[in-house]
Amino acid sequence: MEGNAPVPRVAVVVFVINGKTVLLGKRRSTIGDSRYALPGGHLEFGESFEECAAREVKEETGIEIEKIEFLTVTNNVFLQEPKPSHYVTIFERAVLKDPLQSPQNMEPTKCHGWDWYDWNHLPEPLFGPLETMVKSGFNPFPLGET
Ligand code: 8DG
Ligand code: MG
Ligand code: MG
């Protein structure tokens, strides 16, 4: 097999839910630049989805999460981006351990900043995979909460 042949990778991203809002950040990245996306990143060797979710949210926003639950998985092929890539993306949801904790921009080279956005008034443009889910009517909240 080719050593440098591109391969699909696994990402874990998280709907951090706070009341009727979710945590989004405007990306600084070759993939989805300047689009609003969930916190998350690459699954590391040996990690569970929940461990990866908690680690990425903490690394990127400083926030500690709990009640981490699997929601869905999508297959995302980004051939038009400057760096063509392919992600199997695991979507989890979680809540704040401390409801008063505010997000911090822990990786300013990767994100313009984090904020809470009302599910019914999401910012634009959303990152492609998220936009597709929202347009299809997907709702990350526990039944009846929005
Ligand atoms: P890492 O080094 O911290 O592991 O990676 P990262 O820099 O945090 O990776 P990322 O680009 O934030 O996330 C990995 C991939 O996950 C991303 O390139 C494409 C895929 N992905 C989606 N939807 C979303 C989303 O809403 N947010 C994020 N962050 N990634 C997403 O398919
Ligand atoms: Mg990350
Ligand atoms: Mg990330």
Side-chain angles (χ1 to χ4, degrees):
M1 201 149 96
E2 286 280 332
N4 290 325
V7 292
R9 300 186 72 187
V10 179
V12 176
V13 303
V14 189
F15 289 96
V16 182
I17 287 176
N18 188 9
K20 291 186 189 309
T21 68
V22 295
L23 188 59
L24 297 175
K26 198 182 201 183
R27 286 170 69 80
R28 287 173 181 247
S29 171
T30 48
I31 304 170
D33 190 50
S34 294
R35 289 174 175 265
Y36 289 89
L38 302 166
H42 301 91
L43 184 69
E44 291 184 356
F45 187 84
E47 257 183 342
S48 70
F49 297 154
E50 290 71 24
E51 285 166 347
C52 181
R55 177 182 56 73
E56 283 288 342
V57 171
K58 177 93 175 152
E59 280 176 6
E60 297 184 355
T61 73
I63 276 180
E64 298 207 16
I65 54 173
E66 63 182 18
K67 296 191 185 153
I68 306 167
E69 294 173 87
F70 172 79
L71 289 179
T72 190
V73 58
T74 63
N75 188 40
N76 305 295
V77 181
F78 303 96
L79 293 182
Q80 309 310 327
E81 298 285 338
K83 187 180 163 206
S85 47
H86 181 175
Y87 283 95
V88 173
T89 307
I90 311 294
F91 289 80
E92 303 270 324
R93 94 172 148 220
V95 296
L96 294 163
K97 263 188 197 161
D98 170 4
L100 298 179
Q101 202 184 356
S102 306
Q104 297 166 56
N105 196 9
M106 306 288 281
E107 296 179 340
T109 60
K110 289 187 175 184
C111 181
H112 291 273
W114 298 101
D115 213 339
W116 303 106
Y117 293 92
D118 191 312
W119 183 251
N120 296 307
H121 299 95
L122 291 173
E124 287 180 9
L126 291 175
F127 188 26
L130 188 58
E131 186 178 46
T132 304
M133 287 170 81
V134 171
K135 283 190 174 157
S136 77
F138 181 85
N139 185 321
F141 291 81
L143 213 58
E145 288 195 13
T146 50

